[in-house]
Amino acid sequence: MQHNAPVVLKQVRDLGEIITDTFRFLKENWRPLFRAIGTLCLPVALLSGFIMGKSLGDLQLMLQNFSEGNTDMAVFETMVGRFLPMVLGYGLFILAYLVLIGIVHEYMRAYQLGEHHGITPGELWSRAWPQLGSYFGATFLSGLLILLGFVLCILPGLYPLTVLALVQVCHAMERTGGGGALSRSNTLVMHQFWPTLGLVLVVYILQAVLNGLLNLPFSVVSGVLELNKMGVPIGGGDEQLPFWYATFTALSTAFQLMTTMLVYPIVATALCLKYFTLIVEHEGAGLAEKIQGFEQA
């Protein structure tokens, strides 16, 4: 395989080739893709993380300083006062993540159609905006089914996690709509359930490891603070949270949400390559007609 040529999405790959070509693709396309993410998604994600982290930190500091004479109503009012900003923060993050899904997958669609050259964040936004409802529907429904599966048991959760892994890319490439993406993903994955499960586990573990490494400094400081709070002082600490705890929590939460968004294209690209592997292997005879239909959609 020639690695100096642009990555061709529409070909069969095994697990190792998918992982290798995922990073090749991102290396080749990081400028327009991450420029759009940085412009359209990261500012909202950072704001949402700061709001959530600051609210949580302030709440912990206030509860720490409550005396035994405080009434239950005072505690309740304090919690409500900090809970509302957290709801706002979560709402902003959901919006930012939805835009992220749209931006990344619309870039993949533009790449497949040869329309990615010189594409700007504004052009990607104009492509993603009309499709956000469908991306939300596909993501919400698949997430609900996956959550239900994991509530029942780990193994039942892995099944929907696998068969619904391609819902976003199915809509991006075929314009299936939110509900249709679930059926389409299930149909494709059932041809290669176990290889797809292996890819899903690998990419999500990789995502978790990268996020963990990037957030390691904040995790270490948080661990030290928690040990001090539990009465295991480290470095001369005491059992009280420091006055700067709320600001630290705000910054760490904002950074964590930022890294989550920056790592997401790895997962999306790998699953997109798996989609085209399944398409070529099992629907290769009608691929030209299918791709032509994508272009007209």
Side-chain angles (χ1 to χ4, degrees):
M1 181 182 296
Q2 295 182 350
H3 291 273
N4 57 341
V7 174
V8 176
L9 300 182
K10 189 178 55 180
Q11 68 181 51
V12 175
R13 294 175 171 88
D14 59 23
L15 176 61
E17 291 170 334
I18 287 177
I19 299 301
T20 299
D21 285 350
T22 291
F23 286 98
R24 281 186 57 216
F25 177 87
L26 293 175
K27 181 179 179 181
E28 294 172 3
N29 296 273
W30 70 271
R31 288 183 183 276
L33 185 56
F34 285 96
R35 186 185 298 121
I37 293 173
T39 302
L40 301 172
C41 305
L42 287 188
V44 180
L46 290 171
L47 177 61
S48 68
F50 192 87
I51 292 174
M52 287 189 288
K54 188 68 165 58
S55 299
L56 180 61
D58 285 339
L59 178 61
Q60 290 181 277
L61 286 174
M62 288 181 179
L63 293 177
Q64 170 184 273
N65 295 326
F66 273 141
S67 64
E68 294 182 359
N70 289 112
T71 64
D72 292 340
M73 181 57 68
V75 175
F76 175 76
E77 290 176 352
T78 299
M79 294 184 67
V80 170
R82 294 302 167 185
F83 180 73
L84 293 178
M86 289 184 66
V87 172
L88 173 62
Y90 276 113
L92 288 173
F93 178 68
I94 290 173
L95 175 62
Y97 205 80
L98 179 61
V99 174
L100 173 69
I101 291 172
I103 290 298
V104 172
H105 286 89
E106 288 305 306
Y107 184 84
M108 303 293 292
R109 175 183 172 87
Y111 184 93
Q112 172 59 22
L113 298 177
E115 300 171 356
H116 64 293
H117 300 288
I119 197 167
T120 65
E123 291 170 341
L124 270 177
W125 170 249
S126 67
R127 290 169 178 259
W129 165 248
Q131 307 300 326
L132 291 184
S134 295
Y135 284 120
F136 174 78
T139 303
F140 177 77
L141 292 174
S142 60
L144 192 61
L145 292 173
I146 292 169
L147 177 61
L148 179 61
F150 279 110
V151 167
L152 295 175
C153 187
I154 295 296
L155 292 180
L158 290 177
Y159 179 80
L161 181 67
T162 303
V163 298
L164 301 179
L166 307 181
V167 291
Q168 289 93 354
V169 67
C170 283
H171 175 71
M173 299 300 170
E174 303 182 27
R175 292 297 190 249
T176 55
L182 274 69
S183 175
R184 180 61 171 153
S185 177
N186 178 72
T187 299
L188 287 173
V189 171
M190 289 310 296
H191 293 296
Q192 284 193 15
F193 177 83
W194 294 110
T196 305
L197 173 59
L199 174 64
V200 167
L201 293 177
V202 167
V203 295
Y204 281 122
I205 290 173
L206 179 60
Q207 181 186 40
V209 169
L210 290 176
N211 277 325
L213 291 175
L214 292 173
N215 288 279
L216 185 59
F218 289 104
S219 300
V220 170
V221 176
S222 295
V224 171
L225 292 175
E226 287 299 320
L227 287 174
N228 287 335
K229 183 180 177 182
M230 291 186 296
V232 186
I234 297 178
D238 54 39
E239 298 181 18
Q240 296 292 314
L241 293 173
F243 69 92
W244 45 264
Y245 179 75
T247 301
F248 168 78
T249 306
L251 294 175
S252 63
T253 305
F255 188 81
Q256 181 180 6
L257 297 189
M258 180 187 73
T259 58
T260 297
M261 292 203 154
L262 292 177
V263 174
Y264 173 77
I266 297 175
V267 176
T269 303
L271 294 178
C272 181
L273 296 179
K274 185 62 179 179
Y275 163 85
F276 278 105
T277 292
L278 295 173
I279 287 289
V280 174
E281 280 190 338
H282 301 284
E283 302 181 6
L287 186 60
E289 292 80 3
K290 190 178 293 295
I291 296 299
Q292 183 179 2
F294 298 166
E295 296 174 354
Q296 297 172 354

